[in-house]
Amino acid sequence: MSAELLAYISRRKNELGAVIMAHYYQLPEIQDAADFVGDSLELARQAAVTDARVIVFCGVRFMAESAKILNPDKTVILPEPQAGCPMADMVDADGLKRLKELHPGAMVVCYVNSSAEVKAESDICCTSSNAISVVRSIPADREIIFVPDRNLGSYIQRETGRDMILWAGCCPVHDALSRREIEAQKTLHPARRWWFIPNAAGGYSGADAVLSTAGILKHVENSPENEFIIGTEEGLLHRLRKNSPHKKFYMARSGFSCADMKLIRLEKLANAMETLSEQVDVAHDIRQKAMVSLQRMLQI
Ligand code: 13P
Ligand code: SF4
């Protein structure tokens, strides 16, 4: 069955002149069917340069929206319309406008895990890979509002020494990792290296390194160490094992999984390519403003 679906997806991709992009948190079968797999920053960069007519985006809605913002004339398909991001839903444009009124001189940095409307109200976007560079690019005398991830925001504050006004959102998947679980894993695997992404709750002070999703991959590949505790969503294990088949990985907690990221299956992907739905669209005025924030990020 999988072989038939994969053959159909490949045939249809050629017919459509499409490219399939997938986030590292997607199911292994989807990552394997994709032409390009990456973290949010790599996917945004790829979406900005692709010459494919159709982008099939296997991820969550805000990612497909970013691809559409960067490619208004292309067809962008999200194979599962229900694939949202609970953290992106924790901030809306009206709430952000009200906060901006209280801090009229502030620059707004928004994690790409946010809606197009929120990006349109922001000055610059960032991802977990480039958040520190983005914040460092802002003049020292400007106030900064950071939305929506308070965990990523606190980490940036600590690393850059910049005081920021933090929105109180978080990724429920990463926020659920408790200090107790971290300590238990470290006791269980004392000799292992411990890698962590900054979106997670405050426990990262015990990490050997705090790295973005793509950063974890790179460091594991280049490290002389052989065993690692991974403090992010379990989808990353597929690529970690592919890149470093002789190394061992332990998840920081069991059930470290984003339900929205796991909604797309091969059947849904094939069906979306057949019906060309759901097509993601972003209103023209929102798109124009959100594009500025995304492009400022891509220039850094
Ligand atoms: P990055 O792709 O920026 O590492 O983000 C992690 C994440 O939670 C994506 O939804
Ligand atoms: Fe959103 Fe967290 Fe899922 Fe990423 S892992 S899509 S931030 S809920």
Side-chain angles (χ1 to χ4, degrees), residues 23 25 60 62-63 84-88 111 113 149 170-174 199 233 257-261:
H23 192 270
Y25 296 171
V60 293
F62 74 80
M63 298 178 173
C85 167
M87 175 163 72
Y111 188 23
N113 301 31
D149 188 348
C170 66
C171 162
V173 179
H174 288 92
N199 313 46
E233 212 269 2
S257 176
C258 172
D260 285 84
M261 283 282 185

Side-chain angles (χ1 to χ4, degrees), residues 186-206:
K186 287 176 88 171
T187 311
L188 211 57
H189 310 291
R192 316 294 185 254
R193 306 297 286 170
W194 170 254
W195 308 111
F196 214 81
I197 82 160
N199 313 46
Y204 53 68
S205 51

Side-chain angles (χ1 to χ4, degrees), residues 36-93:
F36 187 84
V37 186
D39 71 352
S40 302
L41 181 61
E42 292 165 331
L43 291 166
R45 287 200 190 289
Q46 192 64 23
V49 299
T50 183
D51 52 15
R53 291 191 301 272
V54 177
I55 301 172
V56 183
F57 210 110
C58 300
V60 293
R61 181 165 295 276
F62 74 80
M63 298 178 173
E65 272 185 358
S66 295
K68 182 67 183 178
I69 291 165
L70 293 166
N71 293 284
D73 300 330
K74 293 185 176 165
T75 304
V76 176
I77 306 286
L78 180 62
E80 170 50 70
Q82 299 299 322
C85 167
M87 175 163 72
D89 295 339
M90 290 179 194
V91 59
D92 65 356

